[in-house]
Amino acid sequence: MSPSVETTPPPSDRVRLRRKPGRGHHDRATIDAILDAAPLCHVGVVVDGQPYVTPTFHWREGDHLYIHGASKNRTLSVADGTEVCVTVSILDGLVLARSAMHHSANFRSVMILGRAHRIEDPDTKRARLKGFIESLYPGRWDALRPMTDTELKATAVLSLALDEASAKVRDGGPMDDEADLSWPVWSGVIPLRTALGAAVADAHTPAGTPPPALGMAVAPIPGSD
Amino acid sequence: MSPSVETTPPPSDRVRLRRKPGRGHHDRATIDAILDAAPLCHVGVVVDGQPYVTPTFHWREGDHLYIHGASKNRTLSVADGTEVCVTVSILDGLVLARSAMHHSANFRSVMILGRAHRIEDPDTKRARLKGFIESLYPGRWDALRPMTDTELKATAVLSLALDEASAKVRDGGPMDDEADLSWPVWSGVIPLRTALGAAVADAHTPAGTPPPALGMAVAPIPGSD
């Protein structure tokens, strides 16, 4: 994707791109594709004026992003009912230019602002947790030892509407100053990607059981091994 | 690394590990190794009570972490002189268990709290930016078109002391309930790693110029391609 003309306007001034607005996107197709392409997000909350940024897995169903954790988890407890920021970032490449200043990175990122809410209804919570497992490992939920009510109670699921979100994307080569183009140094892009290693079964897995197929969220990008 | 006994005490209660303290580390060797193993961090700041989490590159020199950006960058402007949170997370693997609840992830992460400060002295700032380029691409700084004073002024560098930091590490296989071990489903670990693609030179790179060797911060983990 090249830096593109902004077509969908930002849903709020808070998620308007201030720096390099040409890299900004507010259309849900772009936002959803990034959210669905990586399992890891960073959740920002505020406690006594101090920001805390915690890594955790996320998943998306329709117009909401979900995160989960132990019911006693502090980040989730603080986040419930308060304004949070959830950011998903995928680093796609290192961009090397002829001047230090024009070095850059290719990336895709999404920032979501909003009030997170804990899901209270047990059936809804169970359905969302199933959606999470299925997003990572399609077909796995029904093969697992069923979730108990105690486990369900011990797990918190928070939802965050995608109403106020922005995406930022950079790709392509270095953008050197015209006068620097003849400077004799290697310049270009070194791509980075997430690669899957060989699955390692534990000692109790029945012999001959194949590892699960992975869902979109963790599939390597095309061309990776 | 297995969940280990805590040897170095947390430098403050704010960075004491609340959940699964057995995964926590406060020794600088563990913290530094994680900070040096990945170039991407997430910076949390607070504006009008709202947290914002922004991805950016970081680097470490001695007892400080550094981030940089355009002088007009909002996150950097807000962060200067205020309490921030910088989190670095490396996802090492997906952990599949026999129950949904015991699914997990192998990861290494560091959270740093503290007051960030903009570096004002031009010579110091230039030295830190050289350190950044050299950490990613050893030997590259001197091969680049030299940084101008205007470029230096347009760039902000913030430092953050590593005084108040914690690391969290999970590795190893699933920790299933004993009663579930005979449940007939594949369980184990699917490793994830950052892999480097083939470097792509831009059209102005002199023919035959080799791409740079990469520094530790972006080197693939052992065994990756």
Side-chain angles (χ1 to χ4, degrees):
Chain A
M1 224 174 312
S2 304
S4 72
V5 175
E6 178 63 56
T7 48
T8 306
S12 78
D13 192 60
R14 302 194 306 176
V15 291
R16 181 174 56 80
L17 271 290
R18 286 162 175 75
R19 302 288 313 162
K20 317 232 178 189
R23 293 179 186 167
H25 304 265
H26 293 95
D27 64 288
R28 277 289 303 282
T30 301
I31 289 167
D32 290 359
I34 295 169
L35 296 177
D36 296 350
L40 189 71
C41 71
H42 283 77
V43 180
V45 298
V46 182
V47 178
D48 298 335
Q50 167 73 48
Y52 290 86
V53 177
T54 305
T56 190
F57 274 10
H58 69 272
W59 69 102
R60 184 186 67 84
E61 293 187 52
D63 298 331
H64 289 82
L65 192 88
Y66 298 94
I67 58 176
H68 85 302
S71 292
K72 292 175 181 171
N73 177 288
R74 188 180 69 149
T75 298
L76 296 185
S77 300
V78 170
D80 183 22
T82 68
E83 294 281 334
V84 303
C85 176
V86 176
T87 298
V88 173
S89 309
I90 304 168
L91 184 57
D92 289 323
L94 303 167
V95 180
L96 292 83
R98 292 159 181 87
S99 58
M101 182 155 185
H102 286 300
H103 282 66
S104 187
N106 285 337
F107 65 90
R108 292 165 283 161
S109 69
V110 166
M111 179 186 289
I112 310 162
L113 303 182
R115 206 169 280 268
H117 292 285
R118 192 184 284 248
I119 297 178
E120 303 291 353
D121 177 63
D123 292 341
T124 305
K125 192 161 72 168
R126 189 184 292 267
R128 291 297 86 75
L129 288 169
K130 176 177 178 177
F132 174 42
I133 291 283
E134 291 289 305
S135 74
L136 287 170
Y137 318 112
R140 188 167 178 83
W141 181 264
D142 290 336
L144 295 173
R145 188 265 291 151
M147 177 169 274
T148 66
D149 289 344
T150 303
E151 288 176 333
L152 193 62
K153 270 184 200 150
T155 307
V157 177
L158 266 67
S159 74
L160 177 62
L162 297 176
D163 296 337
E164 196 173 354
S166 62
K168 201 169 174 184
V169 175
R170 196 232 186 254
D171 76 354
M175 302 288 278
D176 274 301
D177 297 340
E178 189 74 24
D180 292 338
L181 289 176
S182 60
W183 196 271
V185 63
W186 190 95
S187 299
V189 175
I190 299 176
L192 299 176
R193 61 195 188 202
T194 297
L196 302 174
V200 181
D202 75 1
H204 301 281
T205 298
T209 311
L214 296 183
M216 282 300 297
V218 291
I221 62 172
S224 83
D225 57 348
Chain B
M1 225 173 311
S2 305
S4 71
V5 176
E6 177 62 55
T7 48
T8 306
S12 79
D13 192 62
R14 303 195 305 176
V15 290
R16 180 174 56 79
L17 270 290
R18 284 160 177 78
R19 301 291 308 164
K20 315 230 178 192
R23 294 180 186 165
H25 305 264
H26 294 96
D27 63 287
R28 277 290 301 282
T30 302
I31 289 167
D32 289 359
I34 295 169
L35 296 177
D36 295 350
L40 189 70
C41 71
H42 283 77
V43 180
V45 298
V46 182
V47 179
D48 298 335
Q50 167 73 48
Y52 289 86
V53 177
T54 305
T56 190
F57 275 9
H58 68 271
W59 70 104
R60 183 185 68 84
E61 293 188 50
D63 298 331
H64 289 81
L65 191 89
Y66 297 94
I67 58 175
H68 84 302
S71 293
K72 293 176 181 169
N73 177 290
R74 189 180 67 149
T75 296
L76 296 186
S77 300
V78 170
D80 183 22
T82 69
E83 294 281 333
V84 303
C85 176
V86 175
T87 298
V88 173
S89 309
I90 304 170
L91 184 57
D92 289 324
L94 303 166
V95 179
L96 292 83
R98 291 157 182 90
S99 59
M101 182 154 184
H102 286 299
H103 281 66
S104 188
N106 285 337
F107 64 90
R108 291 166 284 162
S109 70
V110 166
M111 179 187 288
I112 310 161
L113 303 182
R115 206 169 281 269
H117 293 286
R118 190 184 288 246
I119 297 177
E120 303 291 352
D121 176 63
D123 291 340
T124 306
K125 191 160 73 167
R126 188 185 294 266
R128 292 296 87 75
L129 289 168
K130 176 177 177 179
F132 175 42
I133 290 283
E134 291 291 305
S135 74
L136 287 170
Y137 317 111
R140 188 168 178 84
W141 181 265
D142 289 337
L144 295 173
R145 187 267 290 152
M147 177 170 274
T148 66
D149 290 344
T150 304
E151 289 176 331
L152 192 62
K153 271 185 201 149
T155 306
V157 177
L158 265 67
S159 74
L160 176 62
L162 296 177
D163 296 337
E164 198 174 354
S166 62
K168 202 170 175 185
V169 176
R170 194 225 187 259
D171 75 354
M175 302 286 280
D176 274 301
D177 296 340
E178 189 73 24
D180 292 339
L181 289 175
S182 60
W183 196 271
V185 63
W186 190 95
S187 299
V189 175
I190 300 175
L192 299 175
R193 61 192 190 204
T194 297
L196 302 174
V200 181
D202 76 359
H204 302 280
T205 297
T209 310
L214 295 184
M216 282 299 296
V218 292
I221 62 173
S224 81
D225 58 346

